[in-house]
Amino acid sequence: MSELLAIGISHKTAHVAMRERVALTEREAERFMRELVTREGVREAVAISTCNRTEIYLVVSDPVQAETELLGKLAQRAQIRPTELVEVVYSPRNCDAARHLFRVTSGLDSMIVGESEVQGQVRRAYEAALAAGTTGPFTNRLFRAALQTGKRVRSETAVSQARVSVSSVAVDLAREAVGELHERSVLIIGAGETAELTSRALHEQGVRTMFVANRRADRARALAERFGGRVGSLDELPDRLVDADIVVASTSSPHPIVGADELRVVMGARDGRPIVLIDIAVPRDIEHGCGEIDGVTLYDMDDLQAVGARNLGVREGERERAEAVVEDEIDRFSAWMAQQSATPTIAALREHGSAIVEQVLAENEGRWEDASPRDVARAEAIARSVMQRLLHEPTIRMKALEQGGGHGRLAVLRELFGLDEVPEEAPGASAAAAEDAPSGEPAPVRELRRRSSS
């Protein structure tokens, strides 16, 4: 039976230094997903890696084994002990995993509640998994439902209407540090989505002097033209740092862009003018030691989290309305999951009952040497009738779960009866066929008939 498993760390469980060690670039995420689906028991995989979280969503046959193996792989690539990673990861399953993803996509689990960037990040992660060929019926349904949930939360509630995005908080930090921004020189390092959002927020605050440095000149040029800035290459970075009042770094580089030794040289050429560095990248673009240099104020993602917690005031009523939307969508998804689970579970339960009947008949075979074919038929009929009546009520209740959800209760039933190996069936298959006993006679019964008639 397929189960949904999520493994992740986020700003709620781990500090930025740990998050950046586990973070995946787009290329690394693609390789990681492709490798995962080659493992026995792993059918589908989607990886989400942003500044604030790295999460892997898997469809597996054995969630315990899959969780153990995935934790080991994450610890190995992060070069940390598995026990250290266990302390900061979360691993919800099935509807709990879906609920977590729905809340993430809706911005309810973000560092700054209600921020809108995360929905685009989830969409791109799903599209990357589609392109890598690692999704399937389960994750396709899951991620489409998550994106629909995020859309509903933002359209039906006011939870995301305030200025609460990472980019806007970064701009607020800059203004808090240096005052009005319209006379300041701002350097943007990077030209991705977060850099674009930050550039827009700065532009709205009246910034006129803006330089964009990026490895991709075409992307940087388009960003600069849109917001009235100028383009510079990373080779020009030391000279640009000499002139800048504020630096916002947001690249996908696996290594720091601004080093402490380099910045000390830059500060020596600034005649004592202070500089504010805002690092909104994970892994970090600016070495932590830069903040210890005289005249340098450095903020990273953990600082943004503290500011968000201090400044954000999401009305509790809006949060409750948003959570209600999530639960409504979870009910829909749970019903769909139950439809996928009930039919094969019913079939497996009846197969399990038939196997017990056959076993009992076989165990008593030596006691029926003088039994007539009619006696054998009666014994079989009684045994099968007891089995049918015993399973009748559970079968009706499992069919009802197809309409009203209840994937978790089906999982409990499979565990109680030891139905670990449940045959997969195509979605939408009818459970009616499972109601009828197999038309063929069990092998022990056929053997008894043969002996009695001979």
Side-chain angles (χ1 to χ4, degrees):
M1 176 63 62
S2 294
E3 294 197 45
L4 174 64
L5 169 67
I7 297 284
I9 71 168
S10 73
H11 62 283
K12 291 187 174 182
T13 63
H15 52 72
V16 66
M18 174 68 78
R19 299 200 305 270
E20 66 185 1
R21 295 180 72 172
V22 180
L24 300 166
T25 65
E26 290 183 9
R27 185 169 298 178
E28 288 172 339
E30 179 182 350
R31 288 199 301 265
F32 198 60
M33 290 186 295
R34 290 182 185 275
E35 182 180 349
L36 285 173
V37 295
T38 64
R39 313 282 293 189
E40 183 179 357
V42 178
R43 298 184 175 95
E44 306 172 32
V46 181
I48 300 173
S49 191
T50 71
C51 297
N52 293 324
R53 70 184 68 251
T54 294
E55 297 177 348
I56 313 296
Y57 291 83
L58 301 176
V59 177
V60 299
S61 57
D62 185 342
V64 175
Q65 179 180 349
E67 180 176 343
T68 301
E69 293 182 358
L70 181 54
L71 284 173
K73 289 180 66 64
L74 287 173
Q76 183 179 15
R77 74 174 308 279
Q79 296 183 335
I80 58 178
R81 298 190 307 273
T83 52
E84 186 178 357
L85 186 60
V86 166
E87 295 175 356
V88 296
V89 300
Y90 42 88
S91 55
R93 298 182 191 176
N94 299 319
C95 284
D96 289 335
R99 179 179 289 105
H100 177 77
L101 178 61
F102 288 10
R103 296 186 76 255
V104 167
T105 311
S106 301
L108 297 176
D109 195 66
S110 296
M111 177 186 299
I112 302 172
V113 175
E115 59 99 356
S116 58
E117 289 94 332
V118 67
Q119 178 145 346
Q121 292 167 336
V122 171
R123 178 181 289 106
R124 285 189 295 278
Y126 171 51
E127 291 173 348
L130 278 173
T134 61
T135 66
F138 208 122
T139 46
N140 287 337
R141 180 78 179 220
L142 172 69
F143 276 81
R144 288 168 185 164
L147 293 170
Q148 170 65 19
T149 302
K151 182 179 179 180
R152 280 192 60 193
V153 165
R154 289 175 175 83
S155 64
E156 297 178 17
T157 75
V159 74
S160 61
Q161 291 181 0
R163 281 173 47 86
V164 294
S165 67
V166 169
S167 56
S168 64
V169 170
V171 173
D172 289 342
L173 276 176
R175 187 171 55 247
E176 182 180 313
V178 302
E180 292 300 321
L181 301 179
H182 65 276
E183 296 180 356
R184 302 296 180 174
S185 175
V186 178
L187 170 63
I188 306 289
I189 306 176
E193 180 183 12
T194 305
E196 179 178 349
L197 293 169
T198 305
S199 298
R200 179 184 293 114
L202 287 166
H203 185 69
E204 292 172 352
Q205 294 298 311
V207 170
R208 293 291 178 263
T209 307
M210 184 187 301
F211 295 92
V212 180
N214 193 59
R215 288 188 174 88
R216 291 180 53 191
D218 55 341
R219 172 73 176 167
R221 189 175 299 107
L223 191 59
E225 291 174 354
R226 190 176 309 165
F227 301 113
R230 286 181 284 172
V231 178
S233 68
L234 290 178
D235 293 336
E236 304 173 57
L237 188 57
D239 293 334
R240 299 302 185 190
L241 288 171
V242 171
D243 298 329
D245 297 308
I246 302 166
V247 177
V248 179
S250 175
T251 78
S252 58
S253 171
H255 308 293
I257 301 295
V258 179
D261 292 340
E262 175 189 24
L263 190 59
R264 286 190 182 92
V265 175
V266 168
M267 295 304 294
R270 289 175 60 88
D271 299 326
R273 288 187 300 112
I275 188 171
V276 178
L277 308 178
I278 302 176
D279 189 351
I280 53 180
V282 176
R284 287 174 285 190
D285 283 336
I286 302 173
E287 283 187 354
H288 180 72
C290 290
E292 301 173 0
I293 301 174
D294 291 340
V296 176
T297 302
L298 172 62
Y299 299 108
D300 62 16
M301 290 298 293
D302 284 345
D303 298 311
L304 291 181
Q305 179 178 2
V307 172
R310 186 180 72 234
N311 294 340
L312 184 63
V314 178
R315 290 181 301 173
E316 203 57 37
E318 292 302 312
R319 183 194 293 268
E320 290 176 0
R321 289 177 59 196
E323 296 284 6
V325 171
V326 169
E327 290 306 312
D328 182 49
E329 291 292 336
I330 280 295
D331 287 343
R332 297 171 187 266
F333 187 74
S334 177
W336 178 84
M337 289 179 65
Q339 290 175 1
Q340 315 314 302
S341 302
T343 296
T345 300
I346 291 171
L349 184 59
R350 292 201 162 267
E351 183 179 341
H352 180 63
S354 295
I356 292 175
V357 170
E358 293 181 20
Q359 181 181 356
V360 171
L361 291 174
E363 290 173 352
N364 289 275
E365 177 183 353
R367 302 178 182 179
W368 296 344
E369 294 179 353
D370 298 329
S372 68
R374 188 174 182 181
D375 293 334
V376 172
R378 286 175 176 174
E380 176 196 350
I382 291 172
R384 196 163 297 281
S385 177
V386 170
M387 184 270 292
Q388 294 280 4
R389 292 190 183 187
L390 181 63
L391 299 184
H392 177 70
E393 189 65 25
T395 299
I396 292 176
R397 293 183 180 274
M398 281 190 285
K399 287 181 178 180
L401 293 179
E402 286 189 328
Q403 304 301 321
H407 181 271
R409 282 178 284 175
L410 287 170
V412 171
L413 186 145
R414 291 195 303 271
E415 182 177 354
L416 287 174
F417 283 90
L419 307 178
D420 294 329
E421 298 297 328
V422 179
E424 299 285 348
E425 293 193 12
S430 172
E435 184 74 37
D436 299 325
S439 58
E441 292 180 331
V445 176
R446 290 197 301 269
E447 180 62 18
L448 283 174
R449 290 190 189 280
R450 184 187 66 78
R451 290 185 180 182
S452 298
S453 60
S454 61

